[in-house]
Amino acid sequence: MRIGLRLLLAFFLVLGLSLFVVLRVFVEEVKPGTRLAMEDSLVDAANALALVAAPDMKAGTIATGHFAQAMAALPTVDPGATIWGFRKSRIDYRVTVTDARGIVVFDSRGQDLGKDHSQWNDVLRTLRGEYGARSSGESEYDADRTVMHVAAPVKDGDRIIGVLTVSRPNQTLEPYIQRSRDRILNWSWVLLGLSLTIGLLFTWWIASSLSRLRGYANAVARGERAELPRMGRLSGNTEFADLAQAVERMRLKLEDKAYVENYVHTLTHELKSPLAAIRGAAELLQEPMPEADRERFAGNIQRQTERLQQLIDRLLALADVEQMRQLRTVEPVDLTALTRELLHTAEPRLRRKGLRVQTTLDEGAALRGDRFLIAQALQNLLDNAIDFSPQGGALGVSARRVGAQVEWSVRDEGPGVPDYAVDRIFERFYSLPRADTQEKSSGLGLCLVKEVSELHGGTLRIENVDHPRGCRASWTLPV
């Protein structure tokens, strides 16, 4: 399972459990909390009404006095209140008064007059001087619809002469309870959606950062020219940026070590042949010999010295290009004008071999890149075409715009690339003998061209062609 999916599942597991616990507590506490608030208000109402009813209770006129007359109007009162979006159009209180024996002597609804309530908790406990309250069904046939009863003592001095009970159906609170539950659930869904979005973004951020680092490491392992990925603003100062820098430092150290070791081995191998030739010629020159032989051996030393110089110069140029991760200079480059300059510089060599040059140069063949590196790459391709061309042959050079790309190519009439060398022509120090002299070059030219092409995001192809037989090198670069 991918780390991004693991993080997402873990996030939602923790979030889901937390939300479930919190939501359950909230929902379960809404109903009891609302009823406790109602009970508190009933306590205040019961004690206040008990004080008002005390004079009529003492006078024995509780059923006909001023208190009874006022309470009789309760069912007809319309408060006209709108509470939390719900209209309240009637008084839900019911008031009953019992005497010291627990017999109902007043009922605002007239239902229980004369009944014995002495065994009900609200009356029984209040007559004992305790706090009396109960919650019971509206009737013995409907136990689900409960009513809360809260009692207060009616006193004559310190003597309890009766009990006043205020009752209210719990069902009247249901709209408010349901509204609270709905609001909690709705906000819970909003919270869940917001958490989902944050979790997805957080997971995407971590997974994408790790994916970019993994892709970079794999590209480096494959030997590709890879650029260190940017971690972005969110992770610019985090462990991801530190990890990326650590991977980059490790890559540079490993590449430098491998680069030096590889160059030491290959350079040592390439230097053996010219050094052996120079040493052999130098030893022979120390002995008496005809002047013609002396001149031949001295010329051999000079040629081998020039070969060494060329090898060192190209090696330094290639090493500089191989160490680049991106272009240092980007400027407009007119490929047509640059090609004409290179052909003008190569004119003496073209004349010596009697080569005919056929050019197809479009004026719109221009791009942005490093002009010096592009010139070096084109010079190497042109040199190879001249070296492998037969005496009196022809060269075809073209530069043209193709959509969003520029294609440069050179075609010679040489022997082409042998099948055994097709996969090795871009290797460092690999070289084929020239047709006329059978000498080999440094084997660094095409390697340099390949590195420059990769830096510019181009595509390099070298292929054999027929009619007439020869070799064609084409280089396609994005504008």
Side-chain angles (χ1 to χ4, degrees), residues 110-290:
Q111 297 176 355
D112 292 342
L113 285 174
K115 290 185 178 182
D116 185 2
H117 283 187
S118 61
Q119 300 304 312
W120 294 112
N121 273 341
D122 54 323
V123 176
L124 178 65
R125 294 174 66 87
T126 303
L127 289 175
R128 292 177 181 175
E130 302 173 359
Y131 169 62
R134 66 183 170 92
S135 183
S136 57
E138 287 189 1
S139 67
E140 58 180 332
Y141 306 106
D142 191 358
D144 294 331
R145 297 173 63 87
T146 58
V147 178
M148 184 174 292
H149 307 265
V150 175
V154 180
K155 294 183 178 181
D156 180 9
D158 292 333
R159 185 170 63 91
I160 297 176
I161 58 175
V163 175
L164 185 144
T165 300
V166 179
S167 306
R168 183 177 183 180
N170 288 319
Q171 194 67 23
T172 59
L173 298 177
E174 197 60 32
Y176 306 105
I177 295 174
Q178 189 61 42
R179 186 179 188 278
S180 297
R181 284 178 174 174
D182 291 342
R183 287 176 63 87
I184 292 174
L185 289 174
N186 290 338
W187 278 107
S188 298
W189 284 114
V190 173
L191 176 61
L192 183 62
L194 183 62
S195 302
L196 172 62
T197 303
I198 295 174
L200 288 173
L201 290 175
F202 179 74
T203 303
W204 170 82
W205 168 58
I206 293 180
S208 63
S209 298
L210 290 177
S211 178
R212 280 180 287 168
L213 283 175
R214 182 177 65 249
Y216 170 71
N218 289 333
V220 171
R222 291 191 298 267
E224 298 176 1
R225 188 186 300 274
E227 184 178 353
L228 180 67
R230 292 186 178 183
M231 293 293 104
R233 293 182 180 179
L234 289 177
S235 53
N237 297 316
T238 65
E239 288 78 3
F240 285 117
D242 295 339
L243 178 60
Q245 293 297 330
V247 172
E248 175 69 1
R249 289 192 296 270
M250 179 181 68
R251 181 193 65 80
L252 291 175
K253 288 184 177 296
L254 292 175
E255 279 191 357
D256 288 344
K257 181 180 179 181
Y259 189 79
V260 171
E261 290 178 353
N262 187 32
Y263 261 63
V264 168
H265 291 151
T266 53
L267 183 59
T268 301
H269 179 267
E270 291 300 317
L271 290 178
K272 284 182 179 180
S273 179
L275 286 176
I278 292 174
R279 184 176 59 185
E283 291 175 354
L284 292 173
L285 286 175
Q286 294 176 5
E287 301 176 359
M289 64 176 63

Side-chain angles (χ1 to χ4, degrees), residues 347-410:
E347 188 173 354
R349 295 182 61 200
L350 295 171
R351 286 186 177 183
R352 280 198 302 268
K353 297 194 72 169
L355 298 177
R356 304 182 310 278
V357 180
Q358 302 169 351
T359 59
T360 304
L361 304 176
D362 294 346
E363 294 303 325
L367 69 152
R368 290 184 61 81
D370 190 317
R371 190 179 190 279
F372 176 74
L373 294 180
I374 292 176
Q376 279 192 310
L378 296 182
Q379 182 69 64
N380 276 283
L381 293 175
L382 193 57
D383 286 344
N384 277 350
I386 294 173
D387 288 344
F388 284 97
S389 291
Q391 195 75 23
L395 288 182
V397 181
S398 71
R400 58 196 183 98
R401 175 76 175 265
V402 182
Q405 295 179 322
V406 174
E407 183 183 72
W408 188 95
S409 65
V410 58

